[in-house]
Amino acid sequence: MKEKILISWLGRNEIDFAYSHPTAVKPFGPITSALNEMNFDHVYLLSSFNQELIARFTSCLKNLSCPNPLITEAELSSPMNFEQIYKATVNICSLVNSKHPEAALIYLISSGTSAMAAVIILIARTLYPGEIIQTSAEHGVNGVSIPFDISVDYVPRLFENADARISANASATVPGFAEFSSVIHRSEEMVSAIRMAKKAAIRSIPILLEGESGTGKELFARAIHKASLKRSNPFIVVNCGAIPQNLVEAELYGYVKGSFTGAYRTKIGVIEAANGGTVFFDEISELPFEQQVKLLRAVQEKTIRKIGSTTDVSVDFRIIAASNKNLIIEVNKGRFREDLFYRLAVAVIKLPPLRERQGDVSLLAKHFLDEINKEHSESMAFKKKTLTPAALQLLYSYTWPGNVRELINTLQRAVLWSESENISKEQIESSILSTNNLQKLRSDQVKHEMLNHTFSMKDEILKDVRNWISIALDLSGGSKKEASQMLGMNNYQTLTNWMKRVDTT
Ligand SMILES: Nc1ncnc2c1ncn2[C@@H]1O[C@H](COP(=O)(O)OP(=O)(O)OP(=O)(O)O)[C@@H](O)[C@H]1O
Ligand SMILES: [Mg+2]
């Protein structure tokens, strides 16, 4: 059985009644009625009244044999000051959540001002989910049904455009989460991506992580899970690109014994296995189209059905999806369902490519080099490595199409090859060139630019032309006549024209 915890503000009426009827033997207001009718393991009350009034109230509770409440004093300049009420309520909820992470929270909204009730509803439907109750003289204690879901109906609109609202939102202060300390960064771009991730983490909303390969999408997904209320439950990774299409359904939802040849026993799928936790759908764009509608249903209704079963099972899970393709382009091309896209893209966090993160390369390089040095420190022959200034310079100027992963691999290779303590520029160069088929990387980059509509065929051609001209001029020792012949041109005037065009003159 989960512990039950009551959270409420203390209202003026109840306090006044306790003051004028110190020997009351019957419940006389919302809190006393709730305590009388329901059993709670702990009671947390917020109050803006003085000690004397509070003491009268608690002694009445004793007369009524109610549990001893923990009363926190909140300084309010007015009982309708939303900002102060919000801060005080969030603080108490955060305290309760850290002391009793597994407990069921029950919020009473009948005590206190309408501002207090509004704030409680907001918090109970977003940051610290829980049941909302009210009390009345006629009907006693009742659950309150809130026929809308703030996190789904309101938050998506907030995140709809990367507009000023989001930037303002993203720059507001948020509590620190140690879970994100694994994300090494210094750039403003990453600071704001982490801020958004922290904010989204504490709500149960779906998150879409977009970013090139190696930018840290999985690292983020794990940190988000760790910083969420689901942290003590499983985190399961589904790599949509790695599951054969005909096995996706069995993998996600499971199957019952005998439902197909080879189904020798009933098996639960990954979504059910992650119950209470997070499922990370990596490479979501690779999910077969017909499976996308099934996933939409699972996310929307929080139920799944095993293959061969006739009943639905309810599952509570948070979905985080990642893609290194721009999903909205996939939607426009008809390859990804629009309805699923909007369901997943409630909070969209874009991880910038490494080349756009000012100041991160040096920090990351130092961090990983330290790690690699540590790993090798046991071996007798190993000499601790450092990067020469020229090598560092190359790390800064390289474009890192494979992002952080490529940086790690490059450093690992360079350490293996360098025999002295210094890693030279040439060693970094050959570490980059050796395993990375540059042409493949370039074609990946071209694909990416095309999908993002940032590709210019004209610029690419001009880049090549510039390159050929410079090779020919090098070979000809600067003679335009000879260079033009090497380039297959009829006369050097043609070369001059081309040089003007590509601006090499
Ligand atoms: N900011 C960072 N700080 C420390 N390590 C990082 C950072 N970003 C990425 N890494 C590391 O780089 C590697 C690649 O990161 P990750 O697997 O999260 O990238 P990804 O975006 O999921 O890539 P892919 O799209 O190729 O799957 C991992 O080893 C991860 O721990
Ligand atoms: Mg990944």
Side-chain angles (χ1 to χ4, degrees), residues 98-249:
S98 61
K99 279 189 161 175
H100 316 276
E102 307 294 340
L105 306 182
I106 293 148
Y107 297 90
L108 175 64
I109 54 166
S110 310
S111 185
T113 62
S114 51
M116 292 166 183
V119 165
I120 288 184
I121 293 174
L122 196 68
I123 292 173
R125 280 290 172 271
T126 52
L127 293 179
Y128 298 100
E131 193 187 338
I132 302 173
I133 57 168
Q134 61 187 351
T135 57
S136 64
E138 309 83 61
H139 301 108
V141 179
N142 276 303
V144 181
S145 116
I146 307 283
F148 54 85
D149 188 339
I150 296 169
S151 58
V152 174
D153 299 336
Y154 167 69
V155 179
R157 241 173 282 163
L158 193 69
F159 283 90
E160 220 161 59
N161 300 309
D163 60 7
R165 246 182 326 159
I166 283 207
S167 335
N169 197 25
S171 59
T173 49
V174 283
F177 290 94
E179 291 76 13
F180 284 87
S181 59
S182 58
V183 184
I184 315 255
H185 68 287
R186 165 153 69 194
S187 61
E188 269 310 303
E189 291 79 4
M190 287 299 279
V191 169
S192 85
I194 291 175
R195 242 183 230 139
M196 287 182 75
K198 284 178 179 173
K199 286 193 149 198
I202 45 184
R203 304 165 180 147
S204 248
I205 49 174
I207 297 180
L208 176 64
L209 296 169
E210 284 191 340
E212 292 177 12
S213 177
T215 46
K217 297 184 291 296
E218 186 163 341
L219 187 70
F220 256 68
R222 288 183 188 277
I224 290 170
H225 171 73
K226 286 266 171 60
S228 76
L229 297 176
K230 300 188 182 302
R231 67 178 77 96
S232 45
N233 296 319
F235 173 87
I236 297 189
V237 180
V238 179
N239 188 340
C240 302
I243 311 171
Q245 299 219 352
N246 55 343
L247 298 183
V248 172
E249 190 169 351

Side-chain angles (χ1 to χ4, degrees), residues 58 70 78 87 94 100 120 141 144 186 190 206 243 282 297 315 328 340 354 368 381 384 398 412 415 440 467 502:
T58 46
L70 260 159
S78 127
K87 276 192 185 145
S94 145
H100 316 276
I120 288 184
V141 179
V144 181
R186 165 153 69 194
M190 287 299 279
I243 311 171
D282 205 0
R297 183 173 168 269
V315 192
I328 198 73
L340 180 59
L354 186 53
F368 293 122
K384 193 171 168 235
Y398 183 55
Q412 269 166 343
V415 166
K440 157 135 187 5
N467 197 19
V502 300

Side-chain angles (χ1 to χ4, degrees), residues 314-328:
S314 34
V315 192
D316 166 34
F317 69 104
R318 184 215 212 135
I319 183 165
I320 303 181
S323 171
N324 49 25
K325 285 190 183 148
N326 187 328
L327 264 197
I328 198 73

